[in-house]
Amino acid sequence: MEPSKDYLFKYKGFYFSLETSPEYLDSLEDFEIKDSDIFIATYPKSGTVWTQNILSLIIHEGHRNGTENMETLDRIPWLEYNIKNAAYANLPSPRVFATHLPYYLVPRDLRNKRARVIYVTRNPKDVMVSYYHFSKFICTLEEVPDFNIFMERFLAGKVLASSWLDHVEGWYSHAEDFNILFLTYEEMKKDLRSAVLKICNFLGKKLSEEELDSVVRQATFENMRKDPRANYENLPENLAEKNKGSFLRKGTVGDWKNTMTVAQNERFDKVLTEKMKTLPIKFTWDINNM
Ligand code: A3P
């Protein structure tokens, strides 16, 4: 079954929500990149907001010490959803953008190794379950109450951002075109401090031990959940149904086991897990294996 046109449209083989337009997406090819720009690229539900918050904490002292109160969406705008693009030019350097774009739709200069990209992946069963819950909460996504139907759509790539495998495979197999750091959600979960250090090294940013401690403390699930900016609590009502969930939901590894049946897991493995074997990533499916 095709996704409803009330929610998604296809542009160059990739599903977008109606908050953007083909004309705007066309314009991104020529988007003016600064060498200092940083792009967080992800498939949805892989840890985007988490990485956005980590970068805000690393880069902006005022975010870290609480002297500035800026919404995450203003601090790190969404590249392909032209909500506030008039303000892009005025963002302080380094500018940071978030994107779910596949590798082949990003601005040309990014593909010429200008600017930095941080690409975060997460095991796709947890991605899918997170996505399922998120669809209930975000008004611009179609709510699919039956998990079985949602899973079939996910496996067929008939959801916003299309196929998980194509997204991840595309970015990994074109890594050489980019100045890119790959991270996984699970490694961030296992050792947040090391992940923050990896990001600092990639950015060439030196933090003191105290600053580092402060970033790590404020980027834990529990502390981010308490922070309305980090939890995206100030989204407009036409975007999120707050009584139906929150951005920071469970934040664990292996939550898929609480939703997927044995049969669904077998079906998933048959369709996707086999194809994943060619990916150069070792996925962690269970918190006990970390
Ligand atoms: P769950 O729905 O499994 O809880 P994205 O930002 O790409 O949409 O990803 C959202 C997922 O990242 C959600 O997963 C959310 O809880 C999780 N997440 C966000 N911040 C986190 C943190 N500090 N630690 C662990 N998980 C986090």
Side-chain angles (χ1 to χ4, degrees):
M1 195 174 80
E2 292 307 307
S4 162
K5 289 193 168 50
D6 294 339
Y7 292 92
L8 297 181
F9 71 95
K10 214 171 204 178
Y11 171 87
K12 298 192 177 169
F14 192 77
Y15 279 118
F16 290 90
S17 76
L18 305 185
E19 295 153 283
T20 188
S21 66
E23 296 73 32
Y24 182 69
L25 294 167
D26 277 341
S27 77
L28 288 179
E29 176 74 1
D30 298 320
F31 184 84
E32 232 175 277
I33 300 273
K34 296 182 184 176
D35 287 327
S36 57
D37 287 345
I38 303 159
F39 289 78
I40 300 168
T42 55
Y43 187 85
K45 313 321 295 168
S46 302
T48 329
V49 173
W50 192 4
T51 314
Q52 281 177 304
N53 195 44
I54 292 174
L55 284 183
S56 293
L57 290 163
I58 291 175
I59 295 168
H60 298 283
E61 201 183 335
H63 185 91
R64 203 181 319 128
N65 64 21
T67 53
E68 279 171 22
N69 188 11
M70 194 169 183
E71 292 301 325
T72 306
L73 270 179
D74 296 329
R75 175 82 81 198
I76 304 184
W78 217 262
L79 180 66
E80 63 271 34
Y81 294 103
N82 49 345
I83 311 168
K84 291 191 174 148
N85 74 4
Y88 286 176
N90 301 327
L91 288 170
S93 285
R95 301 186 302 179
V96 188
F97 297 97
T99 183
H100 291 321
L101 286 174
Y103 78 95
Y104 63 91
L105 289 180
V106 298
R108 182 190 313 110
D109 277 348
L110 202 54
R111 281 184 265 123
N112 289 333
K113 290 200 174 166
R114 289 193 56 198
R116 291 177 173 82
V117 181
I118 298 176
Y119 188 82
V120 186
T121 49
R122 183 181 190 186
N123 91 58
K125 291 179 190 174
D126 282 336
V127 166
M128 177 175 69
V129 167
S130 178
Y131 211 150
Y132 169 68
H133 291 290
F134 191 63
S135 309
K136 300 181 196 164
F137 157 63
I138 289 291
C139 309
T140 52
L141 293 176
E142 183 180 358
E143 182 178 344
V144 180
D146 183 328
F147 180 75
N148 227 15
I149 296 176
F150 183 84
M151 181 169 95
E152 289 307 323
R153 285 207 190 169
F154 180 87
L155 289 173
K158 291 182 174 175
V159 289
L160 184 139
S162 298
S163 147
W164 175 88
L165 185 71
D166 288 351
H167 203 279
V168 175
E169 204 166 49
W171 276 98
Y172 268 89
S173 59
H174 291 82
E176 287 183 3
D177 301 340
F178 297 94
N179 180 7
I180 192 164
L181 171 72
F182 288 104
L183 287 172
T184 67
Y185 178 98
E186 291 79 13
E187 72 170 292
M188 287 160 69
K189 192 77 201 167
K190 185 176 175 193
D191 186 351
L192 184 54
R193 195 182 175 87
S194 295
V196 170
L197 271 173
K198 256 192 200 175
I199 295 174
C200 287
N201 287 339
F202 180 61
L203 303 182
K205 176 97 182 162
K206 188 107 188 71
L207 293 182
S208 68
E209 283 299 304
E210 275 163 32
E211 288 168 334
L212 189 64
D213 287 344
S214 166
V215 172
V216 173
R217 191 176 56 249
Q218 293 183 67
T220 60
F221 182 80
E222 293 70 28
N223 287 336
M224 274 182 61
R225 217 177 138 89
K226 282 188 244 156
D227 176 353
R229 292 167 311 179
N231 201 11
Y232 268 72
E233 275 171 25
N234 301 320
L235 286 179
E237 272 173 23
N238 60 357
L239 209 56
E241 283 193 72
K242 286 168 196 151
N243 58 344
K244 289 197 179 171
S246 64
F247 260 83
L248 274 85
R249 192 183 59 92
K250 279 200 175 170
T252 58
V253 176
D255 184 47
W256 59 271
K257 292 183 182 172
N258 298 318
T259 300
M260 291 171 77
T261 62
V262 171
Q264 284 165 343
N265 188 37
E266 280 172 4
R267 163 92 182 128
F268 189 102
D269 285 344
K270 202 164 151 217
V271 177
L272 198 58
T273 314
E274 193 56 36
K275 291 192 189 133
M276 285 170 56
K277 292 200 171 128
T278 54
L279 292 176
I281 317 166
K282 201 183 156 298
F283 283 98
T284 313
W285 302 98
D286 187 328
I287 197 127
N288 299 319
N289 297 338
M290 296 196 359

